[in-house]
Amino acid sequence: SAVISQKPSRDICQRGTSLTIQCQVDSQVTMMFWYRQQPGQSLTLIATANQGSEATYESGFVIDKFPISRPNLTFSTLTVSNMSPEDSSIYLCSVVSAGEYGYTFGSGTRLTVV
Amino acid sequence: AQSVAQPEDQVNVAEGNPLTVKCTYSVSGNPYLFWYVQYPNRGLQFLLKYITGDNLVKGSYGFEAEFNKSQTSFHLKKPSALVSDSALYFCAERQNSGNTPLVFGKGTRLSVIA
């Protein structure tokens, strides 16, 4: 199964600033998925990132707020822009993974906006 | 649109008793179904998945799930609950084609009482 390194693991940020979250995969993958988990809630898909093309965003998420880069088949970043306290969440990346688990998830980035 | 329903926000069970966490899915055809567990301040942990084959799937930590196509259900079960099973449980599904993301249910909080 693929292994994902996600950074940072947590951060506390001032409102109005931006944070970029990185996910590095130890193998080449076609698609990477970005999720948000608000406190006490489920995982909601933000967007799907395909290398070489613009990310596809789910309803309620826009590129200006959550720009995504996918420069190659092993790496992606998600930026949370112009943050407000409502953006305080855990952000996770995920890939389809060969092997027993089917999917691999990053360990998550716990973001607190103050 | 895909949707996964977890009808119970909270399930309480006494230690040693059997537990069931319910999930129904909406994908037509052959769904890929997953169960994950999330402990406080921890990442997602894979429990089990159903893709094809036997309707009864055995997973980690003594958990199992039964795929029921006629009822479009995939309930998670364990014969004897432990206090350490107390956590947040997520059911997830994906379409049976290609490189697509998981769609998660809202989650069920399991509390096992000693």
Side-chain angles (χ1 to χ4, degrees), chain A:
Chain A
S1 297
V3 176
I4 299 177
S5 173
Q6 183 172 345
K7 298 178 182 178
S9 59
R10 58 178 62 230
D11 207 341
I12 301 173
C13 300
Q14 297 291 323
R15 68 175 67 204
T17 63
S18 298
L19 176 71
T20 296
I21 301 166
Q22 301 179 5
C23 279
Q24 177 76 52
V25 189
D26 69 344
S27 57
Q28 294 184 339
V29 293
T30 307
M31 300 287 194
M32 291 183 74
F33 312 114
W34 286 96
Y35 290 87
R36 180 178 73 182
Q37 185 179 20
Q38 294 177 300
Q41 298 192 29
S42 185
L43 283 76
T44 301
L45 183 67
I46 297 171
T48 297
N50 193 2
Q51 193 267 335
S53 62
E54 275 200 8
T56 302
Y57 288 83
E58 299 298 305
S59 177
F61 298 96
V62 295
I63 187 171
D64 290 346
K65 176 67 175 177
F66 297 102
I68 288 171
S69 78
R70 186 81 205 276
N72 57 53
L73 291 173
T74 64
F75 188 77
S76 180
T77 67
L78 170 76
T79 299
V80 186
S81 303
N82 189 23
M83 288 184 285
S84 67
E86 291 71 34
D87 294 319
S88 297
S89 297
I90 298 172
Y91 293 85
L92 301 101
C93 59
S94 175
V95 299
V96 176
S97 179
E100 177 186 0
Y101 302 126
Y103 287 80
T104 299
F105 287 84
S107 54
T109 296
R110 184 179 294 272
L111 170 63
T112 303
V113 183
V114 298

Side-chain angles (χ1 to χ4, degrees), chain B residues 1-61:
Chain B
Q2 289 177 252
S3 68
V4 177
Q6 292 182 246
E8 303 153 318
D9 292 334
Q10 173 93 32
V11 170
N12 298 319
V13 64
E15 187 176 31
N17 282 2
L19 70 87
T20 299
V21 183
K22 295 180 180 177
C23 172
T24 58
Y25 64 90
S26 68
V27 172
S28 60
N30 298 317
Y32 287 16
L33 300 166
F34 297 74
W35 276 102
Y36 290 86
V37 61
Q38 189 176 44
Y39 297 98
N41 299 313
R42 302 280 295 276
L44 277 178
Q45 293 185 31
F46 171 86
L47 282 178
L48 51 81
K49 73 179 188 291
Y50 172 84
I51 295 177
T52 186
D54 288 341
N55 290 342
L56 186 63
V57 181
K58 294 191 182 294
S60 306
Y61 313 122

